[in-house]
Amino acid sequence: MPSSEQFASDNYSGICPQAWAAMAEANRMDEPAYGEDIWTARAADGLRELFDTDCDVYFVFNGTAANSLALASIGQSFHSVICHELAHIETDECGGPEYASNGAKLLLGDGADGKLTPESIEHLVTKRTDIHYPKPKALSLTQATEVGTVYTPEELKAIRAVAGKHRLNVHMDGARFANAVAALDVHPSEITWKAGVDVLCFSGTKNGLALGEAVVFFNRDLAEDFEWRCKQAGQLASKMRYISAPWCGLLKDNVWLENARHANRCAARLAAGLEGLPGVTLRYPRQVNGVFVDLPDPLQATLRDAGWRFYNFIGGCSRLMCSWSTTEEQVDRFLADVRANL
Ligand SMILES: *Cc1c(COP(=O)(O)O)cnc(C)c1O
């Protein structure tokens, strides 16, 4: 069995052909550095067109930097950021947001299926208002969430109402934003600026790039001097076109959306094949490109011995992630191995 048999992560995947071709095209000629090139202008224009609004766009290397710098730009060091207890910014960024903001504290809320509720946000904002407590200034939502669920436009609007009432800026961690758009079948604007999102970190990496995330400010006032923040943090790529050109490859003909739809379809097939098998239960509803499932321990061990790679997360449940490069045959091989070893 090839060692690439995996549902470990969507970032185990390679570069999709369209992004690769765009990178090759950008490699044909010399171009100005630090984002002054035509590719960066095209990619930023492409994102403005995609979101159908005049937003400010920046490209950085990875998601931790995108989130950390975006959050630092929408509050001060004495502010706090409300997020779900399962949020990547809390669990998997090594304190990056706190570091980038010189100490802004994360306040952890809750809600079923990895989603913050308006009630939880309201509670965190109102439980303390004195000077000894870091003042809530921002809200961070992950779309799709860390457990593979999505906020609907209605849920986002209900959250926006609370955010508006308490003057919280809204950040969206869009590591799997494409998968959320594909699952909800909405225009990207419906779950961003039209739902009150001030800044989106839109991942290219998990969608099919080698690397690169777009930080998209819908609230352009918050982007003031953001390029200096990126430079100071070591996130200004000198050969920027190698991040931005592949984005052009993703944006042309909606490749980003096709990649996400494909990954979501593979996960749906996987979930359908697992559901109902004895001893196998889905921990969260399958809505995007990940399946979160309780598998008996001996079965997990057998699958791993057979060469399948996947991680166990929250409470020991197994996370099976699909990407643009997952194939239906691979899903079926995995399901056959599961059935053979139950
Ligand atoms: C992958 C991921 C990120 C970004 O991670 P990096 O490794 O820093 O690129 C951010 N948020 C979520 C929810 C993720 O899954």
Coordinates of all heavy atoms in Angstrom, one line a residue, residues 90-142:
E90 N -7.2 29.0 19.7 CA -6.9 28.6 21.1 C -6.1 27.4 21.2 O -5.2 27.3 22.0 CB -8.3 28.5 21.8 CG -8.3 27.6 23.0 CD -7.6 28.2 24.2 OE1 -7.2 29.4 24.1 OE2 -7.4 27.5 25.2
T91 N -6.4 26.4 20.4 CA -5.8 25.0 20.6 C -4.6 24.7 19.8 O -3.8 23.9 20.2 CB -6.8 23.9 20.3 OG1 -7.1 24.0 18.9 CG2 -8.1 24.1 21.0
D92 N -4.4 25.4 18.7 CA -3.3 25.0 17.8 C -2.4 26.1 17.2 O -1.8 25.9 16.2 CB -3.9 24.2 16.6 CG -4.4 22.8 17.1 OD1 -3.6 21.9 17.2 OD2 -5.6 22.7 17.3
E93 N -2.4 27.3 17.9 CA -1.5 28.3 17.3 C -0.5 28.8 18.3 O 0.1 29.9 18.1 CB -2.4 29.5 16.8 CG -3.3 28.9 15.7 CD -4.1 29.9 14.8 OE1 -4.0 31.1 15.1 OE2 -4.7 29.5 13.8
C94 N -0.2 28.0 19.3 CA 0.9 28.2 20.2 C 0.9 29.6 20.8 O 2.0 30.2 21.0 CB 2.2 28.0 19.4 SG 3.6 27.7 20.5
G95 N -0.3 30.2 21.0 CA -0.4 31.5 21.6 C -0.1 32.6 20.5 O 0.2 33.8 20.9
G96 N -0.1 32.3 19.3 CA 0.2 33.3 18.2 C -0.6 34.5 18.3 O -0.1 35.6 18.2
P97 N -2.0 34.4 18.4 CA -2.8 35.6 18.5 C -2.4 36.5 19.7 O -2.4 37.7 19.5 CB -4.2 35.0 18.6 CG -4.1 33.7 17.9 CD -2.8 33.2 18.3
E98 N -2.2 35.9 20.8 CA -1.8 36.7 22.0 C -0.4 37.3 21.8 O -0.2 38.5 22.2 CB -1.7 35.7 23.2 CG -3.0 35.1 23.7 CD -3.3 33.7 23.0 OE1 -2.9 33.5 21.9 OE2 -4.0 32.9 23.7
Y99 N 0.5 36.6 21.2 CA 1.8 37.1 20.9 C 1.8 38.3 19.9 O 2.4 39.4 20.2 CB 2.7 36.0 20.3 CG 4.1 36.3 20.0 CD1 5.0 36.5 21.0 CD2 4.5 36.3 18.7 CE1 6.3 36.8 20.7 CE2 5.9 36.5 18.4 CZ 6.8 36.8 19.4 OH 8.1 37.0 19.1
A100 N 1.1 38.1 18.8 CA 1.0 39.1 17.8 C 0.3 40.4 18.3 O 0.6 41.5 17.9 CB 0.3 38.6 16.6
S101 N -0.6 40.2 19.3 CA -1.3 41.4 19.8 C -0.7 41.9 21.0 O -1.3 42.8 21.7 CB -2.8 41.0 20.0 OG -2.8 40.0 21.0
N102 N 0.4 41.4 21.4 CA 1.1 41.8 22.7 C 0.3 41.6 23.9 O 0.3 42.3 24.9 CB 1.5 43.3 22.6 CG 2.6 43.6 21.6 OD1 3.6 42.9 21.6 ND2 2.4 44.5 20.7
G103 N -0.6 40.5 23.9 CA -1.2 40.1 25.1 C -2.7 40.0 25.1 O -3.3 39.7 26.1
A104 N -3.4 40.4 24.0 CA -4.8 40.3 24.0 C -5.2 38.8 24.4 O -4.6 37.9 23.9 CB -5.4 40.6 22.7
K105 N -6.2 38.7 25.3 CA -6.6 37.4 25.8 C -7.7 36.8 25.0 O -8.6 37.5 24.6 CB -7.0 37.6 27.3 CG -7.3 36.4 28.1 CD -7.6 36.8 29.5 CE -8.3 35.7 30.3 NZ -7.3 34.6 30.6
L106 N -7.7 35.5 24.9 CA -8.8 34.8 24.3 C -9.8 34.4 25.4 O -9.4 33.9 26.4 CB -8.3 33.5 23.6 CG -7.3 33.7 22.4 CD1 -7.0 32.3 21.8 CD2 -7.8 34.7 21.4
L107 N -11.0 34.7 25.2 CA -12.1 34.2 26.1 C -12.9 33.1 25.4 O -13.3 33.3 24.3 CB -13.1 35.4 26.4 CG -12.5 36.7 26.9 CD1 -13.6 37.7 27.2 CD2 -11.7 36.4 28.2
L108 N -12.9 32.0 26.1 CA -13.5 30.8 25.5 C -15.0 30.6 25.8 O -15.4 30.6 26.9 CB -12.8 29.6 26.0 CG -11.2 29.6 25.9 CD1 -10.6 28.3 26.3 CD2 -10.8 30.0 24.4
G109 N -15.7 30.5 24.7 CA -17.1 30.3 24.7 C -17.4 28.9 24.3 O -16.5 28.1 24.0
D110 N -18.7 28.5 24.3 CA -19.1 27.2 23.9 C -20.3 27.2 23.0 O -20.9 28.2 22.6 CB -19.2 26.3 25.1 CG -20.2 26.9 26.1 OD1 -21.1 27.7 25.7 OD2 -20.1 26.5 27.3
G111 N -20.8 26.0 22.7 CA -21.9 25.8 21.8 C -21.7 24.4 21.2 O -20.6 23.9 21.0
A112 N -22.9 23.8 20.8 CA -22.8 22.4 20.2 C -22.1 22.5 18.8 O -22.1 23.5 18.2 CB -24.3 21.9 20.0
D113 N -21.6 21.3 18.5 CA -21.0 21.1 17.1 C -19.9 22.2 16.8 O -19.8 22.6 15.6 CB -22.1 21.1 16.1 CG -23.0 20.0 16.2 OD1 -22.6 19.0 16.9 OD2 -24.2 20.1 15.8
G114 N -19.2 22.6 17.8 CA -18.0 23.5 17.5 C -18.4 24.9 17.2 O -17.6 25.7 16.8
K115 N -19.7 25.3 17.4 CA -20.2 26.6 17.0 C -20.5 27.5 18.2 O -21.3 27.0 19.1 CB -21.4 26.5 16.1 CG -21.1 25.8 14.8 CD -22.3 25.9 13.8 CE -23.4 24.9 14.0 NZ -24.4 25.0 13.0
L116 N -20.0 28.7 18.2 CA -20.3 29.6 19.2 C -21.8 30.0 19.1 O -22.3 30.2 18.0 CB -19.5 30.9 19.1 CG -18.2 31.1 19.7 CD1 -17.6 32.4 19.3 CD2 -18.3 31.0 21.2
T117 N -22.5 30.2 20.2 CA -23.9 30.7 20.2 C -23.9 32.1 20.6 O -23.1 32.6 21.4 CB -24.7 29.8 21.2 OG1 -24.2 30.0 22.5 CG2 -24.7 28.4 20.8
P118 N -25.0 32.8 20.2 CA -25.2 34.2 20.6 C -25.2 34.3 22.1 O -24.7 35.2 22.7 CB -26.5 34.6 20.0 CG -26.7 33.7 18.8 CD -26.0 32.4 19.2
E119 N -25.8 33.3 22.8 CA -26.0 33.3 24.3 C -24.6 33.2 24.9 O -24.3 33.9 25.9 CB -26.8 32.1 24.7 CG -28.3 32.1 24.3 CD -28.4 31.8 22.8 OE1 -27.6 31.0 22.3 OE2 -29.4 32.3 22.1
S120 N -23.7 32.4 24.4 CA -22.4 32.2 25.0 C -21.6 33.5 24.8 O -20.9 33.9 25.7 CB -21.7 31.0 24.3 OG -20.4 30.9 24.7
I121 N -21.8 34.1 23.7 CA -21.0 35.4 23.4 C -21.6 36.5 24.4 O -20.8 37.2 25.1 CB -21.2 35.9 22.0 CG1 -20.6 34.8 21.0 CG2 -20.6 37.2 21.8 CD1 -21.1 35.0 19.6
E122 N -22.9 36.6 24.5 CA -23.5 37.5 25.4 C -23.0 37.3 26.8 O -22.7 38.3 27.5 CB -25.0 37.3 25.3 CG -25.9 38.3 26.1 CD -26.0 39.7 25.5 OE1 -26.1 39.7 24.3 OE2 -26.1 40.7 26.2
H123 N -23.0 36.1 27.2 CA -22.5 35.8 28.6 C -21.1 36.2 28.8 O -20.8 36.9 29.9 CB -22.6 34.3 28.8 CG -22.0 33.8 30.1 ND1 -22.6 34.1 31.4 CD2 -20.9 33.1 30.4 CE1 -21.8 33.6 32.3 NE2 -20.8 33.0 31.8
L124 N -20.2 36.0 27.9 CA -18.8 36.3 28.1 C -18.6 37.9 28.1 O -17.7 38.4 28.8 CB -17.9 35.7 26.9 CG -17.6 34.2 27.1 CD1 -17.0 33.7 25.8 CD2 -16.7 34.0 28.3
V125 N -19.4 38.6 27.3 CA -19.3 40.0 27.3 C -19.8 40.7 28.5 O -19.3 41.7 29.0 CB -20.0 40.6 26.0 CG1 -19.9 42.1 26.0 CG2 -19.5 40.0 24.8
T126 N -20.9 40.1 29.0 CA -21.6 40.8 30.1 C -21.2 40.3 31.5 O -21.5 41.0 32.5 CB -23.1 40.7 30.0 OG1 -23.5 39.3 29.9 CG2 -23.6 41.4 28.7
K127 N -20.5 39.2 31.6 CA -20.2 38.7 33.0 C -19.3 39.6 33.8 O -19.4 39.6 35.0 CB -19.8 37.2 32.9 CG -18.3 37.0 32.5 CD -18.0 35.6 32.7 CE -16.5 35.4 32.3 NZ -16.0 34.0 32.5
R128 N -18.4 40.3 33.0 CA -17.6 41.3 33.7 C -17.5 42.5 32.8 O -17.3 42.4 31.6 CB -16.2 40.7 33.9 CG -16.0 39.6 34.9 CD -15.8 40.1 36.3 NE -14.5 40.9 36.4 CZ -13.3 40.3 36.7 NH1 -13.2 39.0 36.9 NH2 -12.3 41.1 36.9
T129 N -17.6 43.7 33.4 CA -17.4 44.9 32.6 C -16.4 45.8 33.3 O -16.3 47.0 32.9 CB -18.7 45.6 32.4 OG1 -19.3 45.8 33.7 CG2 -19.7 44.8 31.5
D130 N -15.8 45.4 34.4 CA -14.9 46.2 35.1 C -13.5 46.4 34.5 O -13.2 45.7 33.6 CB -14.8 45.7 36.6 CG -14.2 44.3 36.6 OD1 -13.0 44.2 36.6 OD2 -15.0 43.3 36.5
I131 N -12.8 47.3 35.1 CA -11.5 47.6 34.5 C -10.4 46.6 34.7 O -9.3 46.6 34.1 CB -11.0 49.0 35.1 CG1 -9.9 49.6 34.2 CG2 -10.5 48.8 36.5 CD1 -10.2 51.0 33.8
H132 N -10.7 45.6 35.5 CA -9.7 44.5 35.8 C -9.8 43.4 34.8 O -9.0 42.4 34.9 CB -9.9 44.0 37.2 CG -9.9 45.1 38.2 ND1 -8.8 45.7 38.6 CD2 -10.9 45.8 38.9 CE1 -9.1 46.7 39.5 NE2 -10.4 46.7 39.6
Y133 N -10.7 43.5 33.9 CA -11.0 42.4 33.0 C -10.7 42.8 31.6 O -11.0 44.0 31.2 CB -12.4 42.0 33.1 CG -12.8 40.6 32.5 CD1 -12.3 39.5 33.0 CD2 -13.7 40.6 31.4 CE1 -12.6 38.2 32.5 CE2 -14.1 39.4 30.9 CZ -13.5 38.2 31.4 OH -13.9 37.0 30.9
P134 N -10.0 42.0 30.7 CA -9.7 42.5 29.4 C -11.0 42.7 28.6 O -11.8 41.9 28.5 CB -8.9 41.4 28.7 CG -9.2 40.2 29.5 CD -9.6 40.6 30.9
K135 N -11.1 43.9 28.0 CA -12.4 44.3 27.4 C -12.6 43.5 26.1 O -11.8 43.6 25.1 CB -12.3 45.8 27.1 CG -13.7 46.3 26.6 CD -13.6 47.9 26.4 CE -15.0 48.3 26.0 NZ -14.9 49.4 25.1
P136 N -13.7 42.8 25.9 CA -14.0 42.1 24.7 C -14.2 43.1 23.5 O -14.9 44.1 23.6 CB -15.4 41.4 25.0 CG -15.4 41.3 26.4 CD -14.8 42.5 27.0
K137 N -13.4 42.8 22.5 CA -13.4 43.7 21.3 C -13.6 43.0 20.0 O -13.9 43.6 19.0 CB -12.0 44.4 21.3 CG -11.9 45.5 20.3 CD -12.8 46.7 20.5 CE -12.6 47.7 19.5 NZ -13.6 48.8 19.7
A138 N -13.3 41.7 20.0 CA -13.4 40.9 18.8 C -14.0 39.6 19.1 O -14.0 39.0 20.2 CB -12.1 40.8 18.2
L139 N -14.5 39.0 18.0 CA -15.2 37.7 18.0 C -14.5 36.9 16.9 O -14.4 37.5 15.8 CB -16.6 38.0 17.7 CG -17.6 36.9 17.6 CD1 -17.7 36.2 19.0 CD2 -19.0 37.5 17.3
S140 N -14.1 35.7 17.1 CA -13.6 34.9 16.1 C -14.4 33.6 15.8 O -14.7 32.9 16.7 CB -12.1 34.5 16.4 OG -11.6 33.6 15.4
L141 N -14.8 33.5 14.6 CA -15.6 32.3 14.2 C -14.8 31.5 13.2 O -14.2 32.1 12.3 CB -16.9 32.8 13.5 CG -17.8 33.8 14.3 CD1 -18.9 34.3 13.4 CD2 -18.4 33.1 15.5
T142 N -14.9 30.2 13.3 CA -14.2 29.4 12.3 C -15.3 28.8 11.3 O -16.2 28.2 11.8 CB -13.4 28.2 13.0 OG1 -12.7 28.8 14.0 CG2 -12.5 27.5 12.0

